């Protein structure tokens, strides 16, 4: 299937076809440790290469602005009922084109420009849409930022409460892109109640863990939950919204369309539906448990190799290693790893004095290597490769490249499905 698609594209457009093939080969060859990435199943990818792409379906199932929507109505209704079952939500919206669009829609639904909103600071692990000044959020809302305790590097709930009672935000945003620990949603609900604020929980990174039952769910506590389908959830690129409140659900629907978007991407919504079906299978729980087990094993191995980890370890699918003690920036190590076929990203760490373009840390995640079938036993080797890249790059680079090649051949990504491009 993937072969056929690549061949078809290449026959007409060699320039693009060859880049797709090269990217396919890069993904097979490299150890993917970017915590926000994953590799969905062939049916999920296949759904996006269908004629559903062609259909305009502004509106919602059985209430569209275009004719001919009887089939896409079924697709979107199935996606909605599956995502609601998966997270135990009464209402859902599966149209956001991305996590950022989903978050934009929450602001659009619940607050007005100029209102006070609280979000986690970017350098503490927060996301652009939680109040960074170059993003719509920081540009249009009065953002109050909270962070982590400088010593424990754990979310500072006392600070969240103190800031919330002082600034009276209309909405508190919880959730992160680079926070390695569990988040206490019940406590944040208490704080939001004390401050009479909405509680929005952004589960973009941890949606798969929550669906798989290895991270507590915010559903009983949050007014709105936003998420992405392409990270730990292992679906197509895209966003979704959940709530148990009918009034908020109606506001979210009009905030997504017509508030933030025009026509939905029906081919992507079909792929989301397939990913939700997969996530409802019992095997998905085992996969998510393995993601977390692998992260713990990788964290232990990184500590054994002499790396310092933010907060000392991990409870979820990711960790942040401080690379400054090796005389490197995160960007230096990211570049070295790229040369030996290991993909990761430099990331600010709490209290970082380096510019965000360089950063003192590197973020490592296990969703994709777990999708490939790797287990705890492979993690010490990966930590060793990273340590060698940090300390003996010139002399060890050949050895690392060979090791990565062997490991990735043993745990194929799509070649296991009979694809050999
Ligand atoms: C990835 C992420 C998003 C945004 O997702 P995009 O699809 O890249 O727009 C939003 N919030 C958090 C916490 C994220 O990690």
């Amino acid at each position: 299937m993937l072969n056929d698609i690549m061949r078809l594209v290449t026959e007409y457009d060699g320039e693009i076809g060859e880049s797709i093939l090269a990217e396919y080969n890069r993904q097979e060859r490299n150890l993917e440790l970017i915590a926000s990435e994953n590799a969905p199943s062939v049916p999920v990818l296949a759904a996006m290469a269908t004629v559903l792409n062609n259909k305009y379906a502004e509106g919602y199932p059985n209430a569209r602005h275009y004719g001919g929507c009887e089939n896409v109505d079924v697709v979107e209704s199935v996606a909605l009922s599956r995502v609601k079952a998966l997270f135990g939500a009464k209402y859902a919206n599966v149209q956001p084109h991305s996590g950022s669009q989903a978050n934009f829609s929450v602001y659009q639904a619940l607050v007005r420009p100029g209102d006070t909103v609280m979000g986690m600071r970017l350098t503490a692990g927060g996301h652009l849409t939680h109040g960074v000044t170059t993003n719509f959020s920081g540009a249009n809302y009065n953002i109050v930022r909270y962070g982590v305790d400088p010593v424990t590097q754990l979310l500072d709930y006392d600070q969240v409460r103190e800031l919330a009672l002082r600034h009276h935000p209309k909405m508190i945003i919880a959730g992160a892109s680079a926070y390695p620990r569990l988040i206490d949603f019940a406590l944040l609900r208490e704080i939001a109640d004390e401050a009479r604020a909405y509680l929005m929980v952004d589960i973009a990174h941890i949606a798969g863990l929550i669906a798989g039952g290895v991270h507590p769910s915010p559903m009983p506590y949050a007014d709105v939950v936003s998420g992405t389908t392409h990270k730990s959830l292992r679906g197509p690129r895209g966003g979704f919204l959940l709530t148990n409140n009918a009034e908020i659900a109606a506001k979210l629907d009009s905030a997504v369309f017509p508030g933030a978007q025009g026509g939905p991407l029906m081919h992507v919504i079909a792929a989301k539906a397939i990913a939700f079906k997969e996530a409802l299978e019992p095997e998905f729980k085992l996969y998510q448990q393995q993601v977390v087990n692998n992260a713990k094993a990788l964290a232990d191995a990184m500590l054994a190799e002499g790396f310092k980890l933010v907060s000392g370890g991990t409870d979820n699918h990711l960790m942040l290693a401080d690379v400054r003690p090796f005389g490197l920036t995160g960007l230096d190590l990211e570049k070295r790893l790229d040369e030996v076929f290991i993909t990761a990203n430099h990331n600010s760490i709490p209290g970082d004095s380096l510019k965000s373009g360089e950063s003192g840390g590197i973020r490592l995640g296990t969703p994709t290597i777990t999708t490939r079938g790797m287990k705890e036993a492979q993690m010490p080797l990966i930590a060793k490769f990273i340590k060698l890249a940090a300390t003996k790059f010139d002399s060890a680079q050949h050895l690392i490249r060979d090791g990565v090649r062997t490991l990735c051949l043993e745990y194929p990504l799509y070649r296991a499905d009979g694809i050999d491009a």
Side-chain angles (χ1 to χ4, degrees), residues 36 97-103 125-130 174-178 200 202-206 226-231 237-239 363:
S36 51
H97 300 333
S98 70
S100 296
Q101 295 280 78
N103 288 351
H127 187 257
L128 289 173
T129 54
H130 299 184
S177 303
M200 164 187 168
D202 178 351
I203 61 169
H205 257 264
I206 53 174
S226 70
T228 65
T229 43
H230 53 281
K231 299 184 183 177
R237 304 200 79 74
R363 189 182 65 163

Side-chain angles (χ1 to χ4, degrees), residues 62-86:
N62 306 313
R64 305 282 190 185
H65 295 257
Y66 290 84
C69 286
E70 63 270 27
N71 302 310
V72 293
D73 275 1
V74 174
V75 168
E76 187 166 347
S77 301
V78 168
L80 286 167
S81 55
R82 287 180 185 166
V83 77
K84 287 188 272 184
L86 190 59

Side-chain angles (χ1 to χ4, degrees), residues 104 107-108 111-117 136-143:
F104 181 90
Y107 283 83
Q108 176 87 356
V111 290
R112 296 275 73 89
D115 282 351
T116 299
V117 172
F136 78 87
S137 53
N140 297 308
Y141 298 86
N142 175 39
I143 302 289

Side-chain angles (χ1 to χ4, degrees), residues 309-329:
L309 299 181
V310 169
S311 83
T314 180
D315 297 327
N316 59 23
H317 62 301
L318 68 82
M319 69 210 67
L320 291 153
D322 185 349
V323 303
R324 294 170 304 181
F326 296 95
L328 296 169
T329 67

Side-chain angles (χ1 to χ4, degrees), residues 274-295:
I274 297 167
F276 299 146
K277 180 180 163 76
E278 292 172 353
L280 284 161
E281 302 282 354
E283 298 79 58
F284 192 74
K285 284 193 164 48
L286 301 178
Y287 164 65
Q288 294 296 341
Q289 185 63 59
Q290 194 62 53
V291 167
V292 169
N293 292 351
N294 284 352

